[in-house]
């Protein structure tokens, strides 16, 4: 039997199997997207999408408003204000979640360096009790990278300049957001999305082990597939 014919048949069978499954309901996809936007703290986008998609995800408006305020404060680089808001919204969380607190303290140090307040940055670095940095290698590494910014006349152009980019603020905001959601016993914003993608990748890996041709995810960003 021609091996090439086997491959063609395998692809045809794959498409037939896919057609045998009921299509994902648009309502289910819309709820998944709406819940992600709510969990990630994109309130305006969540409200607009929910209205357009005609879905009603469960959400505590008061809690979400406060959480979004904290996230936005961090994204604007106001770490100290964010810490005050966290303590007001979730008393004791700063003390209990050392990693989250470390990330906020690190952000404050970074913002001082960004502003060129070197003396204030050095004073802050010496005055703050970096408990988390003394306990984990990851925190120690982050502190080393942050303090290394002080050694460069142009921190933005240094090998550690990524700490001064907006994406770092966003990562800190994500850390705090997830800590607040955990405290409230709510689902993480990326939980279902990650589970779906992990399931896709696991399935692809299992099929590859058995040397079976299948349709694989070609691009996460564009959600396109290809036959391999």
């Amino acid at each position: 039997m021609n091996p090439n014919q086997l491959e063609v048949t395998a692809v045809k069978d794959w498409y037939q199997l896919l057609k045998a499954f009921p299509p994902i309901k648009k309502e289910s996809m819309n709820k998944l997207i709406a819940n992600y936007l709510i969990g990630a703290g994109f309130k305006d986008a969540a409200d607009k999408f929910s209205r357009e998609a005609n879905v009603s995800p469960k959400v505590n408006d008061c809690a979400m408003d406060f959480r979004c305020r904290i996230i936005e404060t961090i994204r604007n680089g106001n770490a100290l204000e964010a810490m005050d808001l966290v303590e007001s919204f979730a008393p004791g969380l700063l003390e209990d979640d050392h990693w989250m607190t470390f990330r906020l303290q690190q952000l404050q140090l970074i913002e001082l360096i960004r502003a060129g307040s070197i003396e204030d940055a050095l004073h802050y670095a010496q005055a703050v009790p970096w408990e988390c940095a003394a306990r984990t290698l990851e925190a120690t590494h982050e502190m080393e990278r942050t303090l290394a910014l002080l050694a460069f006349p142009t921190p933005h152009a240094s090998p550690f300049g990524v700490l001064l980019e907006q994406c770092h603020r966003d990562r800190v905001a994500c850390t705090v957001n997830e800590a607040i959601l955990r405290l409230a016993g709510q689902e993480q914003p990326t939980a279902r999305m990650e589970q779906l993608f992990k399931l896709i990748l696991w399935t692809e890996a299992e099929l590859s082990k058995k040397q079976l041709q299948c349709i694989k995810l070609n691009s996460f960003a564009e959600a396109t597939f290809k036959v391999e």
Side-chain angles (χ1 to χ4, degrees), residues 67 86 90 93 97 99-101 172-185 188:
R67 185 162 53 85
V86 170
L93 182 58
D97 195 322
W99 175 246
M100 182 200 71
T101 302
V172 176
C174 181
T175 297
V176 175
N177 182 47
E178 290 179 351
I180 294 173
L181 289 175
R182 280 196 302 271
L183 182 67
Q188 299 299 308

PDB file of all heavy atoms in Angstrom, residues 67 86 90 93 97 99-101 172-185 188:
ATOM      1  N   ARG A  67     -10.855  46.485  42.283  1.00  0.00           N
ATOM      2  CA  ARG A  67      -9.745  45.703  41.724  1.00  0.00           C
ATOM      3  C   ARG A  67      -9.195  46.381  40.472  1.00  0.00           C
ATOM      4  O   ARG A  67      -7.976  46.450  40.276  1.00  0.00           O
ATOM      5  CB  ARG A  67     -10.230  44.282  41.421  1.00  0.00           C
ATOM      6  CG  ARG A  67      -9.149  43.336  40.942  1.00  0.00           C
ATOM      7  CD  ARG A  67      -9.608  41.886  41.084  1.00  0.00           C
ATOM      8  NE  ARG A  67     -10.878  41.651  40.442  1.00  0.00           N
ATOM      9  CZ  ARG A  67     -11.024  41.372  39.148  1.00  0.00           C
ATOM     10  NH1 ARG A  67      -9.963  41.302  38.371  1.00  0.00           N
ATOM     11  NH2 ARG A  67     -12.223  41.150  38.634  1.00  0.00           N
ATOM     12  N   VAL A  86      -4.461  48.157  48.095  1.00  0.00           N
ATOM     13  CA  VAL A  86      -4.546  46.723  48.393  1.00  0.00           C
ATOM     14  C   VAL A  86      -4.838  46.506  49.869  1.00  0.00           C
ATOM     15  O   VAL A  86      -5.686  45.684  50.241  1.00  0.00           O
ATOM     16  CB  VAL A  86      -3.235  46.002  47.999  1.00  0.00           C
ATOM     17  CG1 VAL A  86      -3.234  44.568  48.536  1.00  0.00           C
ATOM     18  CG2 VAL A  86      -3.071  45.985  46.484  1.00  0.00           C
ATOM     19  N   ALA A  90      -8.056  44.641  50.758  1.00  0.00           N
ATOM     20  CA  ALA A  90      -7.825  43.286  51.277  1.00  0.00           C
ATOM     21  C   ALA A  90      -6.830  43.349  52.428  1.00  0.00           C
ATOM     22  O   ALA A  90      -5.644  43.022  52.256  1.00  0.00           O
ATOM     23  CB  ALA A  90      -7.307  42.377  50.166  1.00  0.00           C
ATOM     24  N   LEU A  93      -3.387  41.126  53.166  1.00  0.00           N
ATOM     25  CA  LEU A  93      -2.868  40.436  51.983  1.00  0.00           C
ATOM     26  C   LEU A  93      -1.397  40.765  51.745  1.00  0.00           C
ATOM     27  O   LEU A  93      -0.609  39.888  51.376  1.00  0.00           O
ATOM     28  CB  LEU A  93      -3.695  40.808  50.747  1.00  0.00           C
ATOM     29  CG  LEU A  93      -3.292  40.117  49.435  1.00  0.00           C
ATOM     30  CD1 LEU A  93      -3.373  38.601  49.576  1.00  0.00           C
ATOM     31  CD2 LEU A  93      -4.180  40.597  48.285  1.00  0.00           C
ATOM     32  N   ASP A  97       1.040  37.629  51.479  1.00  0.00           N
ATOM     33  CA  ASP A  97       1.569  37.275  50.159  1.00  0.00           C
ATOM     34  C   ASP A  97       2.894  38.004  49.934  1.00  0.00           C
ATOM     35  O   ASP A  97       2.941  39.113  49.410  1.00  0.00           O
ATOM     36  CB  ASP A  97       0.561  37.653  49.064  1.00  0.00           C
ATOM     37  CG  ASP A  97       0.876  36.982  47.733  1.00  0.00           C
ATOM     38  OD1 ASP A  97       2.066  36.861  47.398  1.00  0.00           O
ATOM     39  OD2 ASP A  97      -0.071  36.582  47.025  1.00  0.00           O
ATOM     40  N   TRP A  99       5.402  37.397  47.910  1.00  0.00           N
ATOM     41  CA  TRP A  99       5.827  37.598  46.526  1.00  0.00           C
ATOM     42  C   TRP A  99       5.123  38.809  45.910  1.00  0.00           C
ATOM     43  O   TRP A  99       5.748  39.630  45.243  1.00  0.00           O
ATOM     44  CB  TRP A  99       5.556  36.352  45.698  1.00  0.00           C
ATOM     45  CG  TRP A  99       5.849  36.525  44.239  1.00  0.00           C
ATOM     46  CD1 TRP A  99       4.968  36.509  43.208  1.00  0.00           C
ATOM     47  CD2 TRP A  99       7.141  36.749  43.641  1.00  0.00           C
ATOM     48  NE1 TRP A  99       5.601  36.709  42.011  1.00  0.00           N
ATOM     49  CE2 TRP A  99       6.939  36.859  42.245  1.00  0.00           C
ATOM     50  CE3 TRP A  99       8.431  36.874  44.149  1.00  0.00           C
ATOM     51  CZ2 TRP A  99       7.984  37.084  41.351  1.00  0.00           C
ATOM     52  CZ3 TRP A  99       9.483  37.102  43.251  1.00  0.00           C
ATOM     53  CH2 TRP A  99       9.252  37.200  41.878  1.00  0.00           C
ATOM     54  N   MET A 100       3.832  38.933  46.154  1.00  0.00           N
ATOM     55  CA  MET A 100       3.093  40.077  45.635  1.00  0.00           C
ATOM     56  C   MET A 100       3.647  41.380  46.209  1.00  0.00           C
ATOM     57  O   MET A 100       3.853  42.362  45.486  1.00  0.00           O
ATOM     58  CB  MET A 100       1.607  39.952  45.979  1.00  0.00           C
ATOM     59  CG  MET A 100       0.753  41.091  45.434  1.00  0.00           C
ATOM     60  SD  MET A 100      -0.827  41.268  46.290  1.00  0.00           S
ATOM     61  CE  MET A 100      -0.257  41.905  47.878  1.00  0.00           C
ATOM     62  N   THR A 101       3.905  41.379  47.517  1.00  0.00           N
ATOM     63  CA  THR A 101       4.446  42.572  48.166  1.00  0.00           C
ATOM     64  C   THR A 101       5.817  42.915  47.608  1.00  0.00           C
ATOM     65  O   THR A 101       6.132  44.087  47.352  1.00  0.00           O
ATOM     66  CB  THR A 101       4.540  42.356  49.687  1.00  0.00           C
ATOM     67  OG1 THR A 101       3.243  42.037  50.196  1.00  0.00           O
ATOM     68  CG2 THR A 101       5.059  43.602  50.384  1.00  0.00           C
ATOM     69  N   VAL A 172       3.390  43.104  36.942  1.00  0.00           N
ATOM     70  CA  VAL A 172       3.151  43.324  38.372  1.00  0.00           C
ATOM     71  C   VAL A 172       1.652  43.434  38.635  1.00  0.00           C
ATOM     72  O   VAL A 172       1.128  42.866  39.603  1.00  0.00           O
ATOM     73  CB  VAL A 172       3.877  44.594  38.863  1.00  0.00           C
ATOM     74  CG1 VAL A 172       3.542  44.868  40.328  1.00  0.00           C
ATOM     75  CG2 VAL A 172       5.385  44.448  38.694  1.00  0.00           C
ATOM     76  N   ALA A 173       0.955  44.150  37.766  1.00  0.00           N
ATOM     77  CA  ALA A 173      -0.500  44.283  37.902  1.00  0.00           C
ATOM     78  C   ALA A 173      -1.171  42.920  37.835  1.00  0.00           C
ATOM     79  O   ALA A 173      -2.112  42.634  38.587  1.00  0.00           O
ATOM     80  CB  ALA A 173      -1.042  45.198  36.804  1.00  0.00           C
ATOM     81  N   CYS A 174      -0.675  42.064  36.959  1.00  0.00           N
ATOM     82  CA  CYS A 174      -1.220  40.710  36.826  1.00  0.00           C
ATOM     83  C   CYS A 174      -0.990  39.910  38.103  1.00  0.00           C
ATOM     84  O   CYS A 174      -1.884  39.192  38.570  1.00  0.00           O
ATOM     85  CB  CYS A 174      -0.578  40.017  35.630  1.00  0.00           C
ATOM     86  SG  CYS A 174      -1.194  38.346  35.324  1.00  0.00           S
ATOM     87  N   THR A 175       0.201  40.041  38.686  1.00  0.00           N
ATOM     88  CA  THR A 175       0.523  39.331  39.929  1.00  0.00           C
ATOM     89  C   THR A 175      -0.418  39.742  41.055  1.00  0.00           C
ATOM     90  O   THR A 175      -0.947  38.898  41.786  1.00  0.00           O
ATOM     91  CB  THR A 175       1.981  39.617  40.355  1.00  0.00           C
ATOM     92  OG1 THR A 175       2.869  39.125  39.353  1.00  0.00           O
ATOM     93  CG2 THR A 175       2.308  38.946  41.682  1.00  0.00           C
ATOM     94  N   VAL A 176      -0.640  41.044  41.183  1.00  0.00           N
ATOM     95  CA  VAL A 176      -1.516  41.556  42.242  1.00  0.00           C
ATOM     96  C   VAL A 176      -2.961  41.141  41.985  1.00  0.00           C
ATOM     97  O   VAL A 176      -3.679  40.722  42.903  1.00  0.00           O
ATOM     98  CB  VAL A 176      -1.403  43.089  42.342  1.00  0.00           C
ATOM     99  CG1 VAL A 176      -2.402  43.639  43.358  1.00  0.00           C
ATOM    100  CG2 VAL A 176       0.020  43.493  42.722  1.00  0.00           C
ATOM    101  N   ASN A 177      -3.386  41.241  40.746  1.00  0.00           N
ATOM    102  CA  ASN A 177      -4.752  40.864  40.388  1.00  0.00           C
ATOM    103  C   ASN A 177      -5.023  39.404  40.733  1.00  0.00           C
ATOM    104  O   ASN A 177      -6.062  39.064  41.317  1.00  0.00           O
ATOM    105  CB  ASN A 177      -4.973  41.102  38.895  1.00  0.00           C
ATOM    106  CG  ASN A 177      -6.392  40.778  38.459  1.00  0.00           C
ATOM    107  OD1 ASN A 177      -7.360  41.179  39.101  1.00  0.00           O
ATOM    108  ND2 ASN A 177      -6.522  40.040  37.371  1.00  0.00           N
ATOM    109  N   GLU A 178      -4.091  38.534  40.393  1.00  0.00           N
ATOM    110  CA  GLU A 178      -4.269  37.109  40.668  1.00  0.00           C
ATOM    111  C   GLU A 178      -4.276  36.832  42.169  1.00  0.00           C
ATOM    112  O   GLU A 178      -5.010  35.958  42.641  1.00  0.00           O
ATOM    113  CB  GLU A 178      -3.170  36.311  39.973  1.00  0.00           C
ATOM    114  CG  GLU A 178      -3.311  36.306  38.452  1.00  0.00           C
ATOM    115  CD  GLU A 178      -2.204  35.532  37.763  1.00  0.00           C
ATOM    116  OE1 GLU A 178      -1.228  35.151  38.457  1.00  0.00           O
ATOM    117  OE2 GLU A 178      -2.310  35.304  36.543  1.00  0.00           O
ATOM    118  N   ALA A 179      -3.471  37.579  42.921  1.00  0.00           N
ATOM    119  CA  ALA A 179      -3.447  37.401  44.377  1.00  0.00           C
ATOM    120  C   ALA A 179      -4.792  37.787  44.989  1.00  0.00           C
ATOM    121  O   ALA A 179      -5.302  37.109  45.889  1.00  0.00           O
ATOM    122  CB  ALA A 179      -2.328  38.247  44.986  1.00  0.00           C
ATOM    123  N   ILE A 180      -5.377  38.866  44.490  1.00  0.00           N
ATOM    124  CA  ILE A 180      -6.681  39.311  44.994  1.00  0.00           C
ATOM    125  C   ILE A 180      -7.762  38.295  44.640  1.00  0.00           C
ATOM    126  O   ILE A 180      -8.638  37.980  45.459  1.00  0.00           O
ATOM    127  CB  ILE A 180      -7.034  40.698  44.421  1.00  0.00           C
ATOM    128  CG1 ILE A 180      -6.062  41.754  44.963  1.00  0.00           C
ATOM    129  CG2 ILE A 180      -8.470  41.081  44.772  1.00  0.00           C
ATOM    130  CD1 ILE A 180      -6.230  43.122  44.331  1.00  0.00           C
ATOM    131  N   LEU A 181      -7.709  37.769  43.423  1.00  0.00           N
ATOM    132  CA  LEU A 181      -8.696  36.774  43.004  1.00  0.00           C
ATOM    133  C   LEU A 181      -8.577  35.495  43.833  1.00  0.00           C
ATOM    134  O   LEU A 181      -9.585  34.887  44.200  1.00  0.00           O
ATOM    135  CB  LEU A 181      -8.522  36.456  41.519  1.00  0.00           C
ATOM    136  CG  LEU A 181      -8.931  37.562  40.539  1.00  0.00           C
ATOM    137  CD1 LEU A 181      -8.585  37.158  39.116  1.00  0.00           C
ATOM    138  CD2 LEU A 181     -10.416  37.879  40.653  1.00  0.00           C
ATOM    139  N   ARG A 182      -7.341  35.085  44.120  1.00  0.00           N
ATOM    140  CA  ARG A 182      -7.143  33.888  44.952  1.00  0.00           C
ATOM    141  C   ARG A 182      -7.740  34.103  46.334  1.00  0.00           C
ATOM    142  O   ARG A 182      -8.374  33.204  46.892  1.00  0.00           O
ATOM    143  CB  ARG A 182      -5.652  33.559  45.075  1.00  0.00           C
ATOM    144  CG  ARG A 182      -5.060  32.821  43.895  1.00  0.00           C
ATOM    145  CD  ARG A 182      -3.716  32.200  44.259  1.00  0.00           C
ATOM    146  NE  ARG A 182      -2.765  33.201  44.710  1.00  0.00           N
ATOM    147  CZ  ARG A 182      -1.951  33.870  43.899  1.00  0.00           C
ATOM    148  NH1 ARG A 182      -1.988  33.658  42.603  1.00  0.00           N
ATOM    149  NH2 ARG A 182      -1.099  34.761  44.386  1.00  0.00           N
ATOM    150  N   LEU A 183      -7.521  35.292  46.880  1.00  0.00           N
ATOM    151  CA  LEU A 183      -8.044  35.599  48.207  1.00  0.00           C
ATOM    152  C   LEU A 183      -9.568  35.516  48.223  1.00  0.00           C
ATOM    153  O   LEU A 183     -10.167  35.056  49.197  1.00  0.00           O
ATOM    154  CB  LEU A 183      -7.596  37.002  48.633  1.00  0.00           C
ATOM    155  CG  LEU A 183      -8.024  37.455  50.034  1.00  0.00           C
ATOM    156  CD1 LEU A 183      -7.318  36.618  51.098  1.00  0.00           C
ATOM    157  CD2 LEU A 183      -7.715  38.937  50.235  1.00  0.00           C
ATOM    158  N   ALA A 184     -10.184  35.935  47.124  1.00  0.00           N
ATOM    159  CA  ALA A 184     -11.647  35.928  47.028  1.00  0.00           C
ATOM    160  C   ALA A 184     -12.188  34.579  46.568  1.00  0.00           C
ATOM    161  O   ALA A 184     -13.403  34.401  46.462  1.00  0.00           O
ATOM    162  CB  ALA A 184     -12.104  37.026  46.071  1.00  0.00           C
ATOM    163  N   GLY A 185     -11.278  33.636  46.292  1.00  0.00           N
ATOM    164  CA  GLY A 185     -11.713  32.318  45.841  1.00  0.00           C
ATOM    165  C   GLY A 185     -12.276  32.323  44.438  1.00  0.00           C
ATOM    166  O   GLY A 185     -13.082  31.464  44.074  1.00  0.00           O
ATOM    167  N   GLN A 188      -8.881  32.256  38.224  1.00  0.00           N
ATOM    168  CA  GLN A 188      -7.867  33.094  37.600  1.00  0.00           C
ATOM    169  C   GLN A 188      -8.295  33.433  36.174  1.00  0.00           C
ATOM    170  O   GLN A 188      -8.893  32.605  35.484  1.00  0.00           O
ATOM    171  CB  GLN A 188      -6.520  32.377  37.575  1.00  0.00           C
ATOM    172  CG  GLN A 188      -5.989  32.031  38.956  1.00  0.00           C
ATOM    173  CD  GLN A 188      -5.753  33.265  39.810  1.00  0.00           C
ATOM    174  OE1 GLN A 188      -5.088  34.197  39.394  1.00  0.00           O
ATOM    175  NE2 GLN A 188      -6.307  33.282  41.006  1.00  0.00           N
TER     176      GLN A 188
END
